[in-house]
Amino acid sequence: MNRLFHFPLSPFSRKVRLTLAEKRIEVELVEERYWEPNQDFLRRNPAGKVPVLRLNNRFLSESQAICEYLEETVPNPPLFPRSPDERFEVRRLCAWFDDKFHHEVTSKLLYERVNKKIMGLGYPDSKNVKSGAQKIKYHLDYMGWLLDQRRWLAGDVMTLADFAAAAHLSCLDYISDVDWNRAANVRDWYAKIKSRPSFRSLLADQVPGFPPPRHYADLDF
Amino acid sequence: MNRLFHFPLSPFSRKVRLTLAEKRIEVELVEERYWEPNQDFLRRNPAGKVPVLRLNNRFLSESQAICEYLEETVPNPPLFPRSPDERFEVRRLCAWFDDKFHHEVTSKLLYERVNKKIMGLGYPDSKNVKSGAQKIKYHLDYMGWLLDQRRWLAGDVMTLADFAAAAHLSCLDYISDVDWNRAANVRDWYAKIKSRPSFRSLLADQVPGFPPPRHYADLDF
């Protein structure tokens, strides 16, 4: 059986879960407390991060490399467009969310409010939380600007860039840190993504000690 | 004229410079003090980072997305192997160096010693420097372990993974932070990369206030 070692509120795990579900690749989900010393896990991934995908007895790590691999080996349905120019834009936006958004927003809100507590690292640093709450506005505006010109984030078709963005935003929505009233087109975009069958498993996630708000799993939020 | 907006000791800029040079794509190098507020630069790349490549009047950012784009549009010489399994390993290792190595080593040594001073952010934090100096040993050992089994980092042919790694190590070598005596096979690997024509421009870099050590540009180091 294929397995994904993941953590429910890891945006990188969520990106891979969405990709697997879109491509209808069945995996068993195994929750991994990756911050606790675990020699077995480090053997599977010396980087010590989630997600790790066990696929046909091979261990794959690094979420973007995994998604590119799945796209090359299971091309349908495609999550990348055909032309190099459009593919560039998908990869640029994946990096935008997984690097810039992650650094400026996800790590400042989710990691301060949730991960720190779970990992026993103490209380949220209010300076970080404030900074994340400020920066997410700019990112939502940027998404709104993109969606003024395009149906989906990277162009006129849905791509991995949409899943990368939705992976981060859904984790933040779990802790009510997304103001969906800021931009109507971003809300509409999220409603479309959220109603996909591939999203169901994410909406069912529960992290002990952090119950999600009611709107989190509501398709009509 | 195509242009690369870069910073000499940016490992991400160096990865793109090596890729461009290997593929014989001529660009004019424009040094960008990306940490200084500059509306022109932010218009070219709202992420405010280097490198930014102006290619046929389009602005491209995010180093990995740029390199993948160049591979798709100028396939020769190839910097990715053909099989999905091998391509996965290239991307995994690019992420290893650009994310993990960058976080644990480059940002702790290069950014503390050089970037902080250039950006007017004060003196190096000795705790960070110590941590980076410790962690680089583990990374060199990991590279040695890979090179015990393979001719190049990702397999039997030279790939973008080698350039990603060499981009970081060459920046650290500029400030004498790499102990080449730690692993003979890592030293041999670097000697092979360093002697490539594509490396020449990197070896000629000079950062005011930080003269490189003599061995930096020496092919017989």
Side-chain angles (χ1 to χ4, degrees):
Chain A
M1 180 71 184
N2 297 325
R3 277 191 179 159
L4 185 73
F5 300 89
H6 81 122
F7 185 70
L9 291 184
S10 147
F12 304 102
S13 299
R14 287 184 164 214
K15 184 175 66 169
V16 172
R17 286 165 71 191
L18 291 167
T19 300
L20 289 164
E22 288 286 330
K23 293 182 178 289
R24 299 204 173 81
I25 303 166
E26 280 194 35
V27 295
E28 179 191 355
L29 289 178
V30 180
E31 200 172 318
E32 187 68 61
R33 295 173 70 85
Y34 59 92
W35 57 92
E36 294 175 351
N38 177 337
Q39 286 307 318
D40 269 357
F41 185 63
L42 284 174
R43 247 196 308 279
R44 293 192 284 267
N45 178 14
K49 298 188 297 187
V50 287
V52 171
L53 177 62
R54 192 183 77 174
L55 196 65
N56 308 325
N57 288 320
R58 203 172 156 212
F59 288 104
L60 308 177
S61 58
E62 293 299 339
S63 71
Q64 190 69 17
I66 293 173
C67 292
E68 297 258 9
Y69 178 79
L70 295 173
E71 179 74 9
E72 291 184 357
T73 51
V74 185
N76 283 315
L79 297 182
F80 282 76
R82 298 289 285 276
S83 85
D85 279 31
E86 292 169 299
R87 294 164 70 81
F88 166 78
E89 186 65 354
V90 173
R91 292 185 176 116
R92 181 185 76 80
L93 286 169
C94 287
W96 178 283
F97 287 99
D98 286 347
D99 182 37
K100 189 177 173 71
F101 187 96
H102 176 255
H103 178 70
E104 293 180 350
V105 181
T106 311
S107 71
K108 301 291 193 292
L109 294 173
L110 184 74
Y111 296 178
E112 288 291 338
R113 290 197 211 272
V114 179
N115 298 37
K116 255 187 168 175
K117 186 163 175 202
I118 296 177
M119 297 177 186
L121 297 174
Y123 293 99
D125 176 329
S126 62
K127 213 178 66 195
N128 280 343
V129 171
K130 209 171 153 187
S131 165
Q134 195 56 40
K135 287 279 173 66
I136 193 175
K137 295 181 190 173
Y138 158 79
H139 282 279
L140 290 171
D141 291 349
Y142 181 56
M143 293 174 71
W145 178 79
L146 290 174
L147 292 166
D148 268 346
Q149 309 160 60
R150 308 164 170 181
R151 288 186 56 218
W152 297 91
L153 286 177
D156 284 336
V157 294
M158 190 191 67
T159 67
L160 186 63
D162 297 291
F163 293 121
H168 285 272
L169 285 170
S170 63
C171 288
L172 294 163
D173 195 35
Y174 188 98
I175 52 169
S176 295
D177 265 335
V178 185
D179 175 10
W180 294 114
N181 290 321
R182 193 164 176 91
N185 57 1
V186 178
R187 186 198 199 105
D188 292 347
W189 163 87
Y190 191 62
K192 278 194 291 183
I193 289 258
K194 196 174 174 178
S195 63
R196 298 186 70 79
S198 62
F199 228 81
R200 266 179 221 148
S201 133
L202 275 56
L203 298 180
D205 280 341
Q206 292 277 351
V207 177
F210 294 89
R214 195 170 298 170
H215 77 266
Y216 171 71
D218 188 353
L219 295 184
D220 196 20
F221 56 106
Chain B
M1 179 69 183
N2 297 325
R3 275 190 182 161
L4 185 74
F5 300 89
H6 81 124
F7 185 70
L9 292 184
S10 147
F12 305 101
S13 300
R14 286 185 166 214
K15 183 174 67 168
V16 173
R17 286 164 72 191
L18 290 167
T19 301
L20 289 165
E22 287 287 330
K23 292 182 177 291
R24 300 207 173 79
I25 303 166
E26 282 194 32
V27 295
E28 180 191 353
L29 289 178
V30 180
E31 199 172 317
E32 187 69 60
R33 294 173 70 84
Y34 59 93
W35 58 92
E36 294 176 351
N38 176 339
Q39 285 307 318
D40 269 358
F41 184 63
L42 285 174
R43 246 196 309 280
R44 291 191 285 267
N45 177 14
K49 298 188 298 185
V50 286
V52 172
L53 177 62
R54 192 182 79 174
L55 195 65
N56 309 324
N57 288 320
R58 205 174 155 209
F59 288 105
L60 309 177
S61 58
E62 293 299 340
S63 71
Q64 190 68 17
I66 293 173
C67 293
E68 297 259 8
Y69 178 78
L70 294 173
E71 179 74 7
E72 291 184 355
T73 52
V74 184
N76 284 313
L79 298 182
F80 281 76
R82 298 288 282 278
S83 85
D85 280 31
E86 293 169 299
R87 295 163 71 79
F88 166 78
E89 185 65 355
V90 173
R91 291 186 177 116
R92 181 186 76 81
L93 285 170
C94 287
W96 177 283
F97 287 99
D98 286 348
D99 183 34
K100 189 176 173 72
F101 186 97
H102 176 254
H103 178 69
E104 293 180 350
V105 181
T106 312
S107 71
K108 300 292 192 289
L109 293 174
L110 184 73
Y111 296 179
E112 288 291 338
R113 291 197 211 273
V114 178
N115 298 37
K116 256 189 166 172
K117 185 164 178 201
I118 295 177
M119 296 177 185
L121 296 175
Y123 294 99
D125 177 328
S126 62
K127 212 178 66 196
N128 281 342
V129 171
K130 208 170 153 185
S131 164
Q134 196 56 39
K135 288 280 174 65
I136 193 174
K137 295 181 192 172
Y138 159 78
H139 282 279
L140 290 171
D141 291 348
Y142 182 55
M143 293 175 71
W145 178 77
L146 290 173
L147 291 167
D148 267 345
Q149 309 160 61
R150 309 163 168 182
R151 286 187 55 219
W152 296 90
L153 287 176
D156 284 335
V157 293
M158 190 190 67
T159 66
L160 187 62
D162 298 292
F163 293 122
H168 284 272
L169 285 171
S170 63
C171 288
L172 293 163
D173 195 36
Y174 188 99
I175 52 171
S176 296
D177 265 335
V178 185
D179 173 11
W180 295 115
N181 290 323
R182 194 163 176 90
N185 57 359
V186 178
R187 185 197 201 107
D188 291 347
W189 163 86
Y190 190 62
K192 277 195 291 182
I193 289 258
K194 196 175 176 179
S195 63
R196 296 185 72 78
S198 63
F199 228 81
R200 266 180 220 147
S201 134
L202 274 58
L203 299 180
D205 279 341
Q206 292 277 349
V207 177
F210 294 90
R214 194 171 298 171
H215 76 266
Y216 171 71
D218 188 353
L219 295 185
D220 195 20
F221 57 105

